[in-house]
mmCIF file of all heavy atoms in Angstrom:
data_model
loop_
_atom_site.group_PDB
_atom_site.id
_atom_site.type_symbol
_atom_site.label_atom_id
_atom_site.label_comp_id
_atom_site.label_asym_id
_atom_site.label_seq_id
_atom_site.Cartn_x
_atom_site.Cartn_y
_atom_site.Cartn_z
ATOM 1 N N GLN B 90 -12.720 21.762 -2.510
ATOM 2 C CA GLN B 90 -11.597 20.824 -2.242
ATOM 3 C C GLN B 90 -11.399 20.614 -0.799
ATOM 4 O O GLN B 90 -11.264 19.471 -0.320
ATOM 5 C CB GLN B 90 -10.280 21.414 -2.864
ATOM 6 C CG GLN B 90 -9.106 20.420 -2.791
ATOM 7 C CD GLN B 90 -7.850 20.988 -3.306
ATOM 8 O OE1 GLN B 90 -7.829 22.033 -3.973
ATOM 9 N NE2 GLN B 90 -6.742 20.308 -3.033
ATOM 10 N N LYS B 91 -11.492 21.749 -0.003
ATOM 11 C CA LYS B 91 -11.331 21.602 1.461
ATOM 12 C C LYS B 91 -12.448 20.689 2.019
ATOM 13 O O LYS B 91 -12.218 19.857 2.826
ATOM 14 C CB LYS B 91 -11.384 22.985 2.101
ATOM 15 C CG LYS B 91 -11.078 22.987 3.574
ATOM 16 C CD LYS B 91 -11.593 24.218 4.294
ATOM 17 C CE LYS B 91 -13.082 24.282 4.456
ATOM 18 N NZ LYS B 91 -13.541 25.382 5.279
ATOM 19 N N GLN B 92 -13.653 20.956 1.467
ATOM 20 C CA GLN B 92 -14.738 20.127 1.968
ATOM 21 C C GLN B 92 -14.584 18.629 1.649
ATOM 22 O O GLN B 92 -14.810 17.820 2.571
ATOM 23 C CB GLN B 92 -16.030 20.614 1.282
ATOM 24 C CG GLN B 92 -17.316 19.962 1.818
ATOM 25 C CD GLN B 92 -18.538 20.287 0.959
ATOM 26 O OE1 GLN B 92 -18.458 20.130 -0.213
ATOM 27 N NE2 GLN B 92 -19.617 20.695 1.581
ATOM 28 N N SER B 93 -14.130 18.279 0.488
ATOM 29 C CA SER B 93 -13.864 16.919 0.110
ATOM 30 C C SER B 93 -12.775 16.317 1.015
ATOM 31 O O SER B 93 -12.908 15.134 1.505
ATOM 32 C CB SER B 93 -13.506 16.785 -1.310
ATOM 33 O OG SER B 93 -14.561 17.066 -2.169
ATOM 34 N N GLU B 94 -11.697 17.044 1.215
ATOM 35 C CA GLU B 94 -10.637 16.534 2.079
ATOM 36 C C GLU B 94 -11.093 16.285 3.483
ATOM 37 O O GLU B 94 -10.588 15.399 4.178
ATOM 38 C CB GLU B 94 -9.485 17.514 2.082
ATOM 39 C CG GLU B 94 -8.728 17.523 0.771
ATOM 40 C CD GLU B 94 -7.637 18.717 0.729
ATOM 41 O OE1 GLU B 94 -7.622 19.488 1.724
ATOM 42 O OE2 GLU B 94 -6.994 18.832 -0.298
ATOM 43 N N GLN B 95 -12.075 17.049 3.971
ATOM 44 C CA GLN B 95 -12.556 16.839 5.347
ATOM 45 C C GLN B 95 -13.533 15.686 5.362
ATOM 46 O O GLN B 95 -13.576 14.908 6.323
ATOM 47 C CB GLN B 95 -13.236 18.125 5.778
ATOM 48 C CG GLN B 95 -12.217 19.219 6.154
ATOM 49 C CD GLN B 95 -12.976 20.543 6.635
ATOM 50 O OE1 GLN B 95 -14.138 20.675 6.398
ATOM 51 N NE2 GLN B 95 -12.179 21.374 7.328
ATOM 52 N N LEU B 96 -14.364 15.586 4.331
ATOM 53 C CA LEU B 96 -15.395 14.578 4.335
ATOM 54 C C LEU B 96 -14.809 13.180 4.135
ATOM 55 O O LEU B 96 -15.275 12.212 4.754
ATOM 56 C CB LEU B 96 -16.420 14.816 3.217
ATOM 57 C CG LEU B 96 -17.456 15.923 3.479
ATOM 58 C CD1 LEU B 96 -18.246 16.244 2.174
ATOM 59 C CD2 LEU B 96 -18.414 15.509 4.600
ATOM 60 N N ARG B 97 -13.762 13.064 3.298
ATOM 61 C CA ARG B 97 -13.275 11.813 2.875
ATOM 62 C C ARG B 97 -12.900 10.871 4.019
ATOM 63 O O ARG B 97 -13.403 9.707 4.086
ATOM 64 C CB ARG B 97 -12.068 11.979 1.924
ATOM 65 C CG ARG B 97 -11.732 10.759 1.073
ATOM 66 C CD ARG B 97 -10.677 11.064 0.068
ATOM 67 N NE ARG B 97 -10.411 9.904 -0.726
ATOM 68 C CZ ARG B 97 -11.063 9.565 -1.808
ATOM 69 N NH1 ARG B 97 -12.046 10.338 -2.278
ATOM 70 N NH2 ARG B 97 -10.765 8.425 -2.455
ATOM 71 N N PRO B 98 -12.098 11.293 4.991
ATOM 72 C CA PRO B 98 -11.732 10.336 6.101
ATOM 73 C C PRO B 98 -12.997 9.938 6.904
ATOM 74 O O PRO B 98 -13.038 8.811 7.353
ATOM 75 C CB PRO B 98 -10.776 11.155 6.962
ATOM 76 C CG PRO B 98 -10.326 12.302 6.143
ATOM 77 C CD PRO B 98 -11.381 12.547 5.133
ATOM 78 N N MET B 99 -13.905 10.826 7.043
ATOM 79 C CA MET B 99 -15.128 10.466 7.851
ATOM 80 C C MET B 99 -15.902 9.435 7.077
ATOM 81 O O MET B 99 -16.464 8.507 7.682
ATOM 82 C CB MET B 99 -15.947 11.751 8.057
ATOM 83 C CG MET B 99 -15.160 12.887 8.761
ATOM 84 S SD MET B 99 -16.214 14.262 9.027
ATOM 85 C CE MET B 99 -17.638 13.420 9.836
ATOM 86 N N ILE B 100 -16.063 9.573 5.841
ATOM 87 C CA ILE B 100 -16.873 8.638 5.030
ATOM 88 C C ILE B 100 -16.142 7.287 4.979
ATOM 89 O O ILE B 100 -16.776 6.241 5.080
ATOM 90 C CB ILE B 100 -17.085 9.228 3.608
ATOM 91 C CG1 ILE B 100 -17.941 10.484 3.655
ATOM 92 C CG2 ILE B 100 -17.755 8.133 2.704
ATOM 93 C CD1 ILE B 100 -18.062 11.230 2.367
ATOM 94 N N ALA B 101 -14.820 7.366 4.848
ATOM 95 C CA ALA B 101 -14.047 6.075 4.868
ATOM 96 C C ALA B 101 -14.283 5.296 6.186
ATOM 97 O O ALA B 101 -14.496 4.078 6.163
ATOM 98 C CB ALA B 101 -12.536 6.344 4.656
ATOM 99 N N GLU B 102 -14.326 5.997 7.275
ATOM 100 C CA GLU B 102 -14.556 5.274 8.550
ATOM 101 C C GLU B 102 -15.978 4.724 8.611
ATOM 102 O O GLU B 102 -16.182 3.650 9.071
ATOM 103 C CB GLU B 102 -14.340 6.267 9.726
ATOM 104 C CG GLU B 102 -14.604 5.592 11.057
ATOM 105 C CD GLU B 102 -14.070 6.298 12.278
ATOM 106 O OE1 GLU B 102 -13.505 7.374 12.121
ATOM 107 O OE2 GLU B 102 -14.278 5.829 13.381
ATOM 108 N N ALA B 103 -16.926 5.500 8.088
ATOM 109 C CA ALA B 103 -18.299 5.027 8.026
ATOM 110 C C ALA B 103 -18.380 3.716 7.229
ATOM 111 O O ALA B 103 -19.032 2.775 7.647
ATOM 112 C CB ALA B 103 -19.214 6.048 7.483
ATOM 113 N N ILE B 104 -17.678 3.631 6.103
ATOM 114 C CA ILE B 104 -17.662 2.453 5.274
ATOM 115 C C ILE B 104 -17.026 1.309 6.027
ATOM 116 O O ILE B 104 -17.576 0.197 6.035
ATOM 117 C CB ILE B 104 -16.898 2.743 3.970
ATOM 118 C CG1 ILE B 104 -17.643 3.732 3.137
ATOM 119 C CG2 ILE B 104 -16.696 1.434 3.191
ATOM 120 C CD1 ILE B 104 -16.931 4.225 1.833
ATOM 121 N N CYS B 105 -15.933 1.564 6.737
ATOM 122 C CA CYS B 105 -15.258 0.537 7.516
ATOM 123 C C CYS B 105 -16.205 -0.055 8.504
ATOM 124 O O CYS B 105 -16.283 -1.278 8.775
ATOM 125 C CB CYS B 105 -14.085 1.130 8.323
ATOM 126 S SG CYS B 105 -12.562 1.123 7.441
ATOM 127 N N ARG B 106 -17.075 0.809 9.135
ATOM 128 C CA ARG B 106 -17.984 0.311 10.117
ATOM 129 C C ARG B 106 -19.311 -0.195 9.516
ATOM 130 O O ARG B 106 -20.329 -0.395 10.185
ATOM 131 C CB ARG B 106 -18.334 1.433 11.107
ATOM 132 C CG ARG B 106 -17.056 1.786 11.985
ATOM 133 C CD ARG B 106 -17.396 2.990 12.891
ATOM 134 N NE ARG B 106 -16.242 3.414 13.656
ATOM 135 C CZ ARG B 106 -16.030 3.007 14.960
ATOM 136 N NH1 ARG B 106 -16.854 2.153 15.529
ATOM 137 N NH2 ARG B 106 -14.951 3.456 15.572
ATOM 138 N N SER B 107 -19.285 -0.433 8.201
ATOM 139 C CA SER B 107 -20.406 -1.033 7.568
ATOM 140 C C SER B 107 -21.657 -0.151 7.580
ATOM 141 O O SER B 107 -22.795 -0.712 7.573
ATOM 142 C CB SER B 107 -20.741 -2.404 8.114
ATOM 143 O OG SER B 107 -19.590 -3.240 8.106
ATOM 144 N N MET B 108 -21.465 1.118 7.569
ATOM 145 C CA MET B 108 -22.618 2.026 7.533
ATOM 146 C C MET B 108 -23.012 2.121 6.062
ATOM 147 O O MET B 108 -22.191 2.458 5.216
ATOM 148 C CB MET B 108 -22.295 3.389 8.156
ATOM 149 C CG MET B 108 -23.455 4.408 8.017
ATOM 150 S SD MET B 108 -23.109 5.965 8.811
ATOM 151 C CE MET B 108 -23.286 5.560 10.538
ATOM 152 N N SER B 109 -24.237 1.834 5.729
ATOM 153 C CA SER B 109 -24.708 1.862 4.327
ATOM 154 C C SER B 109 -24.755 3.346 3.875
ATOM 155 O O SER B 109 -24.821 4.269 4.653
ATOM 156 C CB SER B 109 -26.110 1.286 4.258
ATOM 157 O OG SER B 109 -27.095 2.173 4.767
ATOM 158 N N LYS B 110 -24.685 3.488 2.556
ATOM 159 C CA LYS B 110 -24.693 4.809 2.007
ATOM 160 C C LYS B 110 -25.981 5.502 2.348
ATOM 161 O O LYS B 110 -26.041 6.688 2.674
ATOM 162 C CB LYS B 110 -24.508 4.721 0.488
ATOM 163 C CG LYS B 110 -24.339 6.088 -0.200
ATOM 164 C CD LYS B 110 -23.979 5.971 -1.652
ATOM 165 C CE LYS B 110 -25.124 5.555 -2.481
ATOM 166 N NZ LYS B 110 -24.755 5.671 -3.929
ATOM 167 N N GLU B 111 -27.100 4.752 2.359
ATOM 168 C CA GLU B 111 -28.386 5.292 2.591
ATOM 169 C C GLU B 111 -28.474 5.876 4.078
ATOM 170 O O GLU B 111 -28.975 6.952 4.261
ATOM 171 C CB GLU B 111 -29.486 4.271 2.391
ATOM 172 C CG GLU B 111 -29.737 3.913 0.967
ATOM 173 C CD GLU B 111 -28.552 3.149 0.346
ATOM 174 O OE1 GLU B 111 -27.877 2.409 1.116
ATOM 175 O OE2 GLU B 111 -28.275 3.286 -0.846
ATOM 176 N N ARG B 112 -27.900 5.028 4.953
ATOM 177 C CA ARG B 112 -27.954 5.551 6.379
ATOM 178 C C ARG B 112 -27.069 6.772 6.555
ATOM 179 O O ARG B 112 -27.443 7.694 7.248
ATOM 180 C CB ARG B 112 -27.396 4.376 7.256
ATOM 181 C CG ARG B 112 -27.459 4.751 8.738
ATOM 182 C CD ARG B 112 -27.343 3.533 9.594
ATOM 183 N NE ARG B 112 -27.215 3.904 11.002
ATOM 184 C CZ ARG B 112 -26.997 3.035 12.017
ATOM 185 N NH1 ARG B 112 -26.836 1.729 11.658
ATOM 186 N NH2 ARG B 112 -26.953 3.402 13.265
ATOM 187 N N LEU B 113 -25.913 6.757 5.919
ATOM 188 C CA LEU B 113 -25.040 7.960 5.970
ATOM 189 C C LEU B 113 -25.716 9.180 5.429
ATOM 190 O O LEU B 113 -25.722 10.277 6.034
ATOM 191 C CB LEU B 113 -23.725 7.649 5.294
ATOM 192 C CG LEU B 113 -22.771 8.907 5.217
ATOM 193 C CD1 LEU B 113 -22.322 9.349 6.579
ATOM 194 C CD2 LEU B 113 -21.551 8.538 4.397
ATOM 195 N N LEU B 114 -26.352 8.986 4.294
ATOM 196 C CA LEU B 114 -27.004 10.139 3.616
ATOM 197 C C LEU B 114 -28.166 10.622 4.533
ATOM 198 O O LEU B 114 -28.427 11.824 4.623
ATOM 199 C CB LEU B 114 -27.475 9.736 2.227
ATOM 200 C CG LEU B 114 -26.423 9.492 1.166
ATOM 201 C CD1 LEU B 114 -27.068 9.046 -0.118
ATOM 202 C CD2 LEU B 114 -25.531 10.699 0.966
ATOM 203 N N HIS B 115 -28.812 9.696 5.133
ATOM 204 C CA HIS B 115 -29.894 10.045 6.019
ATOM 205 C C HIS B 115 -29.402 10.888 7.214
ATOM 206 O O HIS B 115 -30.082 11.895 7.600
ATOM 207 C CB HIS B 115 -30.635 8.793 6.518
ATOM 208 C CG HIS B 115 -31.790 9.159 7.445
ATOM 209 N ND1 HIS B 115 -31.688 9.018 8.802
ATOM 210 C CD2 HIS B 115 -33.041 9.562 7.139
ATOM 211 C CE1 HIS B 115 -32.826 9.376 9.333
ATOM 212 N NE2 HIS B 115 -33.722 9.724 8.341
ATOM 213 N N ILE B 116 -28.235 10.501 7.749
ATOM 214 C CA ILE B 116 -27.671 11.248 8.882
ATOM 215 C C ILE B 116 -27.384 12.624 8.392
ATOM 216 O O ILE B 116 -27.621 13.696 9.091
ATOM 217 C CB ILE B 116 -26.457 10.571 9.403
ATOM 218 C CG1 ILE B 116 -26.859 9.236 10.128
ATOM 219 C CG2 ILE B 116 -25.655 11.440 10.363
ATOM 220 C CD1 ILE B 116 -25.798 8.352 10.493
ATOM 221 N N VAL B 117 -26.684 12.775 7.323
ATOM 222 C CA VAL B 117 -26.274 14.095 6.776
ATOM 223 C C VAL B 117 -27.519 14.978 6.536
ATOM 224 O O VAL B 117 -27.556 16.115 6.914
ATOM 225 C CB VAL B 117 -25.443 13.954 5.473
ATOM 226 C CG1 VAL B 117 -25.210 15.325 4.834
ATOM 227 C CG2 VAL B 117 -24.077 13.268 5.805
ATOM 228 N N SER B 118 -28.512 14.280 5.950
ATOM 229 C CA SER B 118 -29.730 15.029 5.661
ATOM 230 C C SER B 118 -30.441 15.548 6.957
ATOM 231 O O SER B 118 -30.900 16.654 7.075
ATOM 232 C CB SER B 118 -30.689 14.057 4.926
ATOM 233 O OG SER B 118 -31.898 14.766 4.530
ATOM 234 N N SER B 119 -30.373 14.666 7.989
ATOM 235 C CA SER B 119 -31.054 15.067 9.255
ATOM 236 C C SER B 119 -30.370 16.254 9.885
ATOM 237 O O SER B 119 -30.993 17.191 10.368
ATOM 238 C CB SER B 119 -31.011 13.894 10.230
ATOM 239 O OG SER B 119 -31.822 12.838 9.738
ATOM 240 N N ILE B 120 -29.000 16.236 9.903
ATOM 241 C CA ILE B 120 -28.263 17.344 10.427
ATOM 242 C C ILE B 120 -28.469 18.645 9.628
ATOM 243 O O ILE B 120 -28.678 19.739 10.198
ATOM 244 C CB ILE B 120 -26.743 17.036 10.492
ATOM 245 C CG1 ILE B 120 -26.511 15.786 11.392
ATOM 246 C CG2 ILE B 120 -25.956 18.197 11.045
ATOM 247 C CD1 ILE B 120 -25.077 15.329 11.397
ATOM 248 N N TYR B 121 -28.564 18.505 8.316
ATOM 249 C CA TYR B 121 -28.872 19.674 7.462
ATOM 250 C C TYR B 121 -30.205 20.283 7.827
ATOM 251 O O TYR B 121 -30.304 21.472 8.025
ATOM 252 C CB TYR B 121 -28.851 19.202 5.991
ATOM 253 C CG TYR B 121 -28.841 20.298 4.949
ATOM 254 C CD1 TYR B 121 -27.725 20.652 4.254
ATOM 255 C CD2 TYR B 121 -30.081 21.022 4.704
ATOM 256 C CE1 TYR B 121 -27.753 21.653 3.332
ATOM 257 C CE2 TYR B 121 -30.078 22.062 3.794
ATOM 258 C CZ TYR B 121 -28.910 22.389 3.072
ATOM 259 O OH TYR B 121 -28.914 23.341 2.132
ATOM 260 N N GLU B 122 -31.213 19.401 7.976
ATOM 261 C CA GLU B 122 -32.543 19.936 8.336
ATOM 262 C C GLU B 122 -32.568 20.496 9.713
ATOM 263 O O GLU B 122 -33.180 21.517 9.985
ATOM 264 C CB GLU B 122 -33.566 18.812 8.262
ATOM 265 C CG GLU B 122 -33.792 18.262 6.787
ATOM 266 C CD GLU B 122 -34.376 19.322 5.888
ATOM 267 O OE1 GLU B 122 -35.088 20.257 6.429
ATOM 268 O OE2 GLU B 122 -34.177 19.187 4.665
ATOM 269 N N ASP B 123 -31.809 19.807 10.657
ATOM 270 C CA ASP B 123 -31.846 20.300 11.991
ATOM 271 C C ASP B 123 -31.266 21.728 12.167
ATOM 272 O O ASP B 123 -31.770 22.552 12.887
ATOM 273 C CB ASP B 123 -30.933 19.333 12.854
ATOM 274 C CG ASP B 123 -31.036 19.665 14.322
ATOM 275 O OD1 ASP B 123 -32.104 19.881 14.824
ATOM 276 O OD2 ASP B 123 -29.947 19.799 14.941
ATOM 277 N N ILE B 124 -30.196 21.921 11.402
ATOM 278 C CA ILE B 124 -29.612 23.272 11.422
ATOM 279 C C ILE B 124 -30.470 24.256 10.696
ATOM 280 O O ILE B 124 -30.757 25.453 11.283
ATOM 281 C CB ILE B 124 -28.185 23.273 10.745
ATOM 282 C CG1 ILE B 124 -27.256 22.382 11.574
ATOM 283 C CG2 ILE B 124 -27.573 24.693 10.680
ATOM 284 C CD1 ILE B 124 -25.904 22.144 10.899
ATOM 285 N N SER B 125 -30.927 23.946 9.530
ATOM 286 C CA SER B 125 -31.781 24.870 8.797
ATOM 287 C C SER B 125 -33.051 25.327 9.524
ATOM 288 O O SER B 125 -33.493 26.445 9.459
ATOM 289 C CB SER B 125 -32.194 24.271 7.456
ATOM 290 O OG SER B 125 -31.104 23.716 6.767
ATOM 291 N N HIS B 126 -33.651 24.366 10.208
ATOM 292 C CA HIS B 126 -34.944 24.612 10.800
ATOM 293 C C HIS B 126 -34.878 25.065 12.255
ATOM 294 O O HIS B 126 -35.889 25.072 12.950
ATOM 295 C CB HIS B 126 -35.857 23.394 10.664
ATOM 296 C CG HIS B 126 -36.132 23.005 9.287
ATOM 297 N ND1 HIS B 126 -36.524 21.734 8.915
ATOM 298 C CD2 HIS B 126 -36.044 23.704 8.149
ATOM 299 C CE1 HIS B 126 -36.675 21.716 7.628
ATOM 300 N NE2 HIS B 126 -36.399 22.885 7.118
ATOM 301 N N ALA B 127 -33.654 25.333 12.718
ATOM 302 C CA ALA B 127 -33.489 25.712 14.082
ATOM 303 C C ALA B 127 -34.279 26.996 14.378
ATOM 304 O O ALA B 127 -34.088 27.970 13.666
ATOM 305 C CB ALA B 127 -32.007 25.909 14.434
ATOM 306 N N GLU B 128 -35.119 26.993 15.324
ATOM 307 C CA GLU B 128 -35.900 28.160 15.728
ATOM 308 C C GLU B 128 -35.099 28.897 16.838
ATOM 309 O O GLU B 128 -34.297 28.298 17.544
ATOM 310 C CB GLU B 128 -37.246 27.761 16.227
ATOM 311 C CG GLU B 128 -38.067 27.006 15.122
ATOM 312 C CD GLU B 128 -38.361 27.883 13.900
ATOM 313 O OE1 GLU B 128 -38.351 29.122 14.074
ATOM 314 O OE2 GLU B 128 -38.491 27.310 12.799
ATOM 315 N N LYS B 129 -35.407 30.115 16.981
ATOM 316 C CA LYS B 129 -34.562 30.981 17.788
ATOM 317 C C LYS B 129 -35.084 31.240 19.191
ATOM 318 O O LYS B 129 -34.623 32.148 19.873
ATOM 319 C CB LYS B 129 -34.360 32.332 17.144
ATOM 320 C CG LYS B 129 -33.774 32.244 15.709
ATOM 321 C CD LYS B 129 -34.560 33.052 14.712
ATOM 322 C CE LYS B 129 -34.367 32.485 13.320
ATOM 323 N NZ LYS B 129 -35.240 33.173 12.318
ATOM 324 N N GLY B 130 -36.015 30.458 19.671
ATOM 325 C CA GLY B 130 -36.435 30.674 21.041
ATOM 326 C C GLY B 130 -37.299 31.879 21.231
ATOM 327 O O GLY B 130 -38.204 31.925 21.989
#
Side-chain angles (χ1 to χ4, degrees):
Chain B
Q90 187 185 346
K91 187 197 74 171
Q92 187 192 47
S93 289
E94 286 170 359
Q95 287 179 340
L96 283 172
R97 196 172 183 88
M99 302 181 53
I100 297 173
E102 178 164 1
I104 294 174
C105 273
R106 292 178 184 264
S107 307
M108 179 176 281
S109 73
K110 188 170 75 170
E111 290 68 31
R112 181 165 175 185
L113 175 61
L114 292 178
H115 180 260
I116 290 171
V117 172
S118 182
S119 295
I120 297 175
Y121 191 105
E122 294 295 335
D123 185 50
I124 297 174
S125 309
H126 298 159
E128 300 297 334
K129 300 131 204 173

